[in-house]
């Protein structure tokens, strides 16, 4: 008691003092001013404004290993020693969420949520501190398969847990050291005794009923400044709509003490700035302070004063900024915020309508057709609407001093101009989309907003008298017959024209071919590509089949010349004595090799001259046992591939007597008959 009286004397002497726990957990520091002077007290003075975590540990409220909660079996939550805070399942929409809330009348107040952006869990969910020391959320599918999700992500195992009267959920190891606490992972609020460290942030809710991440965040920056931003921005000074304007103090953090002072403290716990100053001069166990960033982007500080029956009254002590219209993106794109009887309203700019009339904060879109940029016609396609006491924080793409009329005309004639803000003699033009706009309660600025005229014309058309029903015209039989005759005549004429065109095209190609033969102008591709010669051309090239070179499988072979005698060719004169069966075997061999090698028999687009004729290249690879150069992949039966190549070469032997029958070909491919190494075919000889 003497120690407490001594502390109360010190506190009355230094009413602005506050405590911080140092590295030594048994000693706390009583700070008295920003110059860093402090007094040190022993742990017996835990009544100090900052209460260490270990001082609130009560064995009767410990959550032991193996403890669990269900949504449909009471209790559905674990309580703090005083019963003012609860941790567990909280009913939310069609399911449940896991979180911490201030329990009391008239309403529960959520202060922290786990996995806030996940959908609510079903009624079969289970919250468990496992015997392995993990805090898990289990959900079960219809087939009985369970899914586990960590509520507290810890590396070492916990021995027990407790929800403190400060609203802080703490996990301890076997040495009673804190290994995890919810105060280190705030969602949208901080409570008395809680810090928001450099780099940390609070994220607003989506709405009063929807606890998922919303549109605004409060950021404790590393430069020591506390700043409010819309989400989905680059967090630049242009995007911020409130800040503490703190002189750069690296490492500063935000701290809400137990008397309701919201402070910016340095790394050494020296007060840098008071964000919200409490009217309370002493600590009271019946009051809980809560600073929260709410769904509308306003940062508010509340006090909750409990009576002896567990009911509380809530008071709003401070808030920033002053109104929702100062919150950037409170109203969406192409809309502006207007305060009316202290209530914010979002309005669409002229020429735009709400994207979703049921969600007016989602912004507006143009209700007229955007014309192509034609400077000469701009004045006939658009009009200008004047708006008083307007402003926006967007960076203009054009700014120049001029008169009001010149500013209005400049925007009307500018294809890119959505509107122009005229302020203090300066004309500031802005493109679509327009953001960060609002109407001010007073001021002399004007806004010239450009509106398309086509929306007005379409509205006029919608109010015009109903059109007469369309006239149905009947076609007579005589007209139908005339249409039929004309269609037949047109088809016949078209057919004749196509036939004549085909005839002349064929003749033209024949003339070109003859000219090429006479000129001898053949490239490599023409030389190696098969082409058709008429009997007359071959007879002329061989001088009437005069000089016989020998006998082949299809008949006699004669010597001939083309290209004005520069090239010598061998011409086989076909006889109706050809063995059709042997010819079929030859064709089969060619096709078989083409399938194996995945190319044509004659190919001009090759890297080496020896690869032009397939039979020649196939025989060379077979003899050299280099078929693996084909690069056909890994799953290739090379033995079977070699057999197919040998069968193909047997089939294309120049002498018909050497070619196997189709029955032998089948037996060789099926492995019934061995395949000997074939001789070099004549076509493949050097």
């Amino acid at each position: 008691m003497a120690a407490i009286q001594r502390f109360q004397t010190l506190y009355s002497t230094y009413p602005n003092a506050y405590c911080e726990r140092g590295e030594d957990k048994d000693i706390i520091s009583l700070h008295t001013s920003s110059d860093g002077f402090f007094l040190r007290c022993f742990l017996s003075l835990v009544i100090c404004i900052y209460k260490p975590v270990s001082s609130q540990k009560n064995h009767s409220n410990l959550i032991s290993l193996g403890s669990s909660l269900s949504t449909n079996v009471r209790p559905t939550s674990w309580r703090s020693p005083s019963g003012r805070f609860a941790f567990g399942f909280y009913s939310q929409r069609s399911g449940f969420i896991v979180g911490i809330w201030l329990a009391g009348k008239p309403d529960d107040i959520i202060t922290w949520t786990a996995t806030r952006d996940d959908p609510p869990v079903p009624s079969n969910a289970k919250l468990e501190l496992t015997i392995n020391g993990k805090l898990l959320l289990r959900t079960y599918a219809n087939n009985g398969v369970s899914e586990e999700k960590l509520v507290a992500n810890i590396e070492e195992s916990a021995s027990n847990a407790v929800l403190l009267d400060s609203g802080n959920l703490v996990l301890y190891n076997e040495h009673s050291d804190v290994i995890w606490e919810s105060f280190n992972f705030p969602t949208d609020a901080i409570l008395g005794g809680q810090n928001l460290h450099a780099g940390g942030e609070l994220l607003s809710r989506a709405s009063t009923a929807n606890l998922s991440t919303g549109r605004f965040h409060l950021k404790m920056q590393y430069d020591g400044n506390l700043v409010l931003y819309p989400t989905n921005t680059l967090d630049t000074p242009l995007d911020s709509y409130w800040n503490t304007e703190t002189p750069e103090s690296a490492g500063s953090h935000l701290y809400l003490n137990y008397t309701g002072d919201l402070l910016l403290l340095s790394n050494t716990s020296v007060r840098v700035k008071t964000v919200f100053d409490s009217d309370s001069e002493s600590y009271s166990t019946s009051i809980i302070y809560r600073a929260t960033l709410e769904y509308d982007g306003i940062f508010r500080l509340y006090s909750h004063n409990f009576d002896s029956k567990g009911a509380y009254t809530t008071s709003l002590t401070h808030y920033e900024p002053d109104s929702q219209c100062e919150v950037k993106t409170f109203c969406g794109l192409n809309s502006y915020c207007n305060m009316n009887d202290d209530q914010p309203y979002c309005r669409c700019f002229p020429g735009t309508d709400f994207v979703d009339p049921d969600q007016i904060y989602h912004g507006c879109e143009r209700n007229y057709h955007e014309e192509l940029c034609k400077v000469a016609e701009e004045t006939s396609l658009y009009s200008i609407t004047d708006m008083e006491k307007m402003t926006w924080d967007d960076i203009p793409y054009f700014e120049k001093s001029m008169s009001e009329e010149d500013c209005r005309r400049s925007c009307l004639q500018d294809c890119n101009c959505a509107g122009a803000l005229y302020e203090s003699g300066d004309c500031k033009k802005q493109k679509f989309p327009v953001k960060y706009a609002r109407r001010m309660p007073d001021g002399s600025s004007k806004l010239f907003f450009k509106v398309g005229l086509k929306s007005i014309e379409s509205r006029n058309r919608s109010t015009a008298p109903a059109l007469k029903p369309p006239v149905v015209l009947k076609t007579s039989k005589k007209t139908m017959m005339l249409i039929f005759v004309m269609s037949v005549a047109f088809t016949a004429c078209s057919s004749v024209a196509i036939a004549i065109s085909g005839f002349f095209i064929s003749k033209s190609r024949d003339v070109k071919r003859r000219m090429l033969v006479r000129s001898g102008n053949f490239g490599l591709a023409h030389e190696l590509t098969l082409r058709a010669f008429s009997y007359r051309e071959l007879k002329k090239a061989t001088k009437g089949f005069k000089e016989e070179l020998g006998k082949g499988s299809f008949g006699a072979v004669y010597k001939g010349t083309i290209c004005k005698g520069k090239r010598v060719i061998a011409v086989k004169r076909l006889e109706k004595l050809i063995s059709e069966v042997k010819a079929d075997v030859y064709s089969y061999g060619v096709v078989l090799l083409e399938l194996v090698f995945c190319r044509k028999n004659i190919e001009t687009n090759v890297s080496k001259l020896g690869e032009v004729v397939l039979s020649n290249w196939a025989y060379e690879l077979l003899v050299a046992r280099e078929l693996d150069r084909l690069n056909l992949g890994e799953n290739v039966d090379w033995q079977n591939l070699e057999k197919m190549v040998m069968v193909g070469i047997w089939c294309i032997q120049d002498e018909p007597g050497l070619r196997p029958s189709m029955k032998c070909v089948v037996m060789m491919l099926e492995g019934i008959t061995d395949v000997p190494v074939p001789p070099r075919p004549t076509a493949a000889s050097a």
Side-chain angles (χ1 to χ4, degrees):
M1 180 64 68
I4 295 178
Q5 290 176 349
R6 179 170 176 264
F7 170 76
Q8 290 175 339
T9 301
L10 290 171
Y11 191 77
S12 62
T13 305
Y14 304 102
N16 292 325
Y18 59 94
C19 287
E20 279 287 326
R21 181 176 54 175
E23 295 180 358
D24 185 349
K25 295 184 179 180
D26 294 331
I27 295 180
I28 52 178
S29 301
L30 178 65
H31 293 262
T32 61
S33 65
S34 60
D35 59 7
F37 173 72
F38 63 90
L39 300 173
R40 309 194 90 185
C41 348
F42 286 101
L43 189 59
S44 59
L45 301 183
V46 295
I47 195 173
C48 180
I49 301 173
Y50 186 92
K51 297 187 292 187
V53 168
S54 59
S55 69
Q56 301 184 53
K57 188 174 179 181
N58 188 321
H59 292 283
S60 64
N61 293 89
L62 284 181
I63 305 169
S64 58
L65 299 183
S67 300
S68 63
L69 296 173
S70 299
T71 61
N72 49 13
V73 178
R74 291 187 178 277
T76 59
S77 63
W78 289 304
R79 294 293 183 111
S80 66
S82 66
R84 292 177 182 170
F85 283 96
F87 166 65
F89 290 109
Y90 189 87
S91 179
Q92 174 75 9
R93 290 179 288 179
S94 58
F96 298 86
I97 62 167
V98 174
I100 300 173
W101 61 92
L102 191 63
K105 298 179 180 180
D107 297 303
D108 296 335
I109 299 176
I110 302 290
T111 59
W112 180 82
T113 52
T115 60
R116 64 185 301 191
D117 291 319
D118 290 349
V121 297
S123 59
N124 61 5
K126 187 176 182 180
L127 187 61
E128 181 180 3
L129 182 60
T130 67
I131 58 175
N132 297 324
K134 304 296 181 183
L135 187 58
L136 295 178
L137 173 64
R138 298 181 191 271
T139 55
Y140 297 88
N142 294 332
N143 58 5
V145 178
S146 65
E147 180 183 355
E148 297 180 352
K149 184 168 293 186
L150 285 173
V151 175
N153 191 3
I154 52 177
E155 296 182 357
E156 58 180 309
S157 299
S159 292
N160 52 64
V162 67
L163 178 62
L164 305 180
D165 275 336
S166 61
N168 187 15
L169 176 66
V170 183
L171 273 62
Y172 299 93
N173 63 12
E174 58 183 348
H175 304 294
S176 295
D177 296 326
V178 177
I179 58 176
W180 186 91
E181 54 184 313
S182 60
F183 269 17
N184 287 338
F185 305 93
T187 50
D188 64 342
I190 60 173
L191 298 168
Q194 187 172 357
N195 293 284
L196 183 65
H197 296 285
E201 60 181 358
L202 300 181
L203 293 163
S204 69
R205 302 178 183 183
S207 66
T208 53
N210 187 350
L211 302 181
S212 59
T213 302
R215 300 187 295 145
F216 310 99
H217 67 132
L218 176 72
K219 190 172 184 180
M220 185 66 245
Q221 298 187 163
Y222 288 100
D223 61 3
N225 210 8
L226 187 68
V227 189
L228 282 169
Y229 296 104
T231 55
N232 300 322
T233 63
L234 298 178
D235 292 354
T236 64
L238 175 66
D239 300 314
S240 69
Y241 59 90
W242 175 84
N243 68 87
T244 54
E245 299 180 351
T246 311
E248 186 162 335
S249 178
S252 296
H253 63 277
L254 185 68
Y255 173 59
L256 177 60
N257 67 18
Y258 285 97
T259 62
D261 292 324
L262 190 63
L263 310 170
L264 284 176
L265 305 179
S266 67
N267 333 354
T268 57
S269 298
V270 174
R271 184 186 311 211
V272 176
K273 187 168 185 174
T274 300
V275 181
F276 295 147
D277 191 7
S278 172
D279 296 330
S280 176
E281 296 184 356
S282 62
Y283 167 68
S284 174
T285 57
S286 63
I287 300 178
I288 293 176
Y289 291 93
R290 176 176 61 97
T292 180
L293 176 61
E294 299 194 294
Y295 78 98
D296 58 0
I298 303 295
F299 185 44
R300 295 181 174 92
L301 177 62
Y302 293 97
S303 67
H304 306 285
N305 196 341
F306 283 81
D307 60 19
S308 59
K309 297 181 180 180
Y312 65 85
T313 56
T314 300
S315 300
L316 176 62
T317 62
H318 297 282
Y319 59 92
E320 288 289 352
D322 291 334
S323 72
Q324 288 90 342
C325 284
E326 296 181 43
V327 176
K328 292 183 177 178
T329 72
F330 178 79
C331 296
L333 298 177
N334 303 324
S335 64
Y336 64 95
C337 185
N338 182 32
M339 294 296 295
N340 189 1
D341 295 331
D342 295 330
Q343 292 296 321
Y345 293 92
C346 292
R347 309 291 188 193
C348 288
F349 278 113
T352 67
D353 293 325
F354 286 113
V355 175
D356 184 354
D358 296 327
Q359 300 289 336
I360 62 174
Y361 304 112
H362 290 182
C364 306
E365 59 186 355
R366 283 177 280 190
N367 59 15
Y368 59 87
H369 177 68
E370 184 181 5
E371 300 291 340
L372 295 176
C373 189
K374 300 176 181 178
V375 178
E377 301 179 8
E378 285 290 292
T379 55
S380 62
L381 298 174
Y382 298 93
S383 65
I384 291 292
T385 300
D386 293 7
M387 304 178 69
E388 301 286 340
K389 300 180 180 179
M390 294 292 298
T391 187
W392 55 41
D393 297 325
D394 301 81
I395 298 179
Y397 72 91
F398 172 89
E399 182 174 359
K400 188 177 181 180
S401 296
M402 61 180 67
S403 65
E404 284 189 24
E405 186 57 35
D406 289 341
C407 183
R408 185 184 292 106
R409 186 183 304 109
S410 176
C411 182
L412 181 62
Q413 296 175 350
D414 188 344
C415 301
N416 298 315
C417 183
L421 180 67
Y422 190 77
E423 189 174 30
S424 302
D426 291 334
C427 183
K428 305 173 183 178
K429 294 194 290 188
Q430 178 66 38
K431 299 179 181 179
F432 275 110
V434 177
K435 56 183 180 179
Y436 304 161
R438 63 186 184 275
R439 186 184 292 277
M440 300 182 297
D442 51 21
S444 59
S445 60
K446 290 184 179 180
L447 180 62
F448 307 131
F449 209 81
K450 189 160 65 175
V451 181
L453 296 177
K454 281 204 170 182
S455 60
I456 301 174
E457 295 173 0
S458 61
R459 195 175 298 114
N460 291 338
R461 286 195 298 269
S462 65
T463 58
L467 297 176
K468 295 181 180 180
V471 179
V472 179
L473 299 177
K474 295 184 178 180
T475 306
S476 64
K477 292 183 178 179
K478 183 176 180 180
T479 304
M480 292 293 294
M481 182 60 68
L482 180 61
I483 294 174
F484 175 75
V485 172
M486 292 181 64
S487 300
V488 172
F490 176 77
T491 303
C493 293
S494 300
S495 301
V496 173
I498 292 173
I500 295 175
S501 300
F503 174 77
F504 281 106
I505 291 173
S506 177
K507 284 295 183 181
S508 173
R509 289 179 177 176
D510 187 53
V511 171
K512 289 182 179 179
R513 179 176 57 79
R514 292 180 182 181
M515 293 178 64
L516 288 174
V517 172
R518 292 173 183 174
S519 63
N521 185 19
F522 293 100
L524 180 61
H526 288 83
E527 180 180 356
L528 297 176
T529 304
L530 296 177
R531 57 179 296 265
F533 291 89
S534 66
Y535 179 81
R536 182 182 301 175
E537 291 172 335
L538 293 178
K539 185 177 181 180
K540 181 179 179 181
T542 58
K543 298 181 180 178
F545 303 102
K546 182 178 181 181
E547 185 177 352
E548 182 176 330
L549 298 177
K551 295 286 186 179
S553 60
F554 299 109
V557 180
Y558 298 91
K559 180 180 179 181
T561 58
I562 59 174
C563 304
K564 297 182 179 179
K566 295 180 181 179
R567 298 181 185 270
V568 179
I569 61 171
V571 180
K572 292 183 179 180
R573 187 173 183 179
L574 302 181
E575 306 289 345
K576 295 299 178 190
L577 297 178
I578 297 175
S579 174
E580 294 182 359
V581 175
K582 296 298 182 179
D584 290 341
V585 173
Y586 184 95
S587 301
Y588 179 84
V590 172
V591 172
L592 181 60
L593 291 176
E594 288 181 341
L595 289 175
V596 171
F597 283 74
C598 299
R599 52 158 286 183
K600 296 180 180 179
N601 188 33
I602 303 295
E603 185 67 67
T604 59
N605 188 20
V606 293
S607 58
K608 296 181 181 179
L609 188 61
E611 299 175 4
V612 173
V613 182
L614 178 58
S615 58
N616 180 46
W617 187 38
Y619 188 84
E620 294 296 335
L621 292 179
L622 177 66
V623 173
R625 305 190 68 82
E626 295 179 350
L627 289 174
D628 55 346
R629 288 172 50 191
L630 295 179
N631 193 22
L632 299 178
E634 298 179 357
N635 300 323
V636 177
D637 186 353
W638 294 105
Q639 184 177 1
N640 194 33
L641 180 71
E642 185 180 66
K643 179 174 62 177
M644 295 174 68
V645 173
M646 289 193 294
V647 172
I649 294 177
W650 272 114
C651 292
I652 63 171
Q653 291 295 313
D654 193 66
E655 182 61 37
L658 295 178
R659 301 174 196 164
S661 65
M662 286 304 301
K663 180 179 180 180
C664 291
V665 169
V666 173
M667 294 176 67
M668 286 189 291
L669 289 176
E670 291 181 349
I672 301 174
T673 305
D674 293 334
V675 185
V677 178
R680 181 189 296 270
T682 304
S685 60

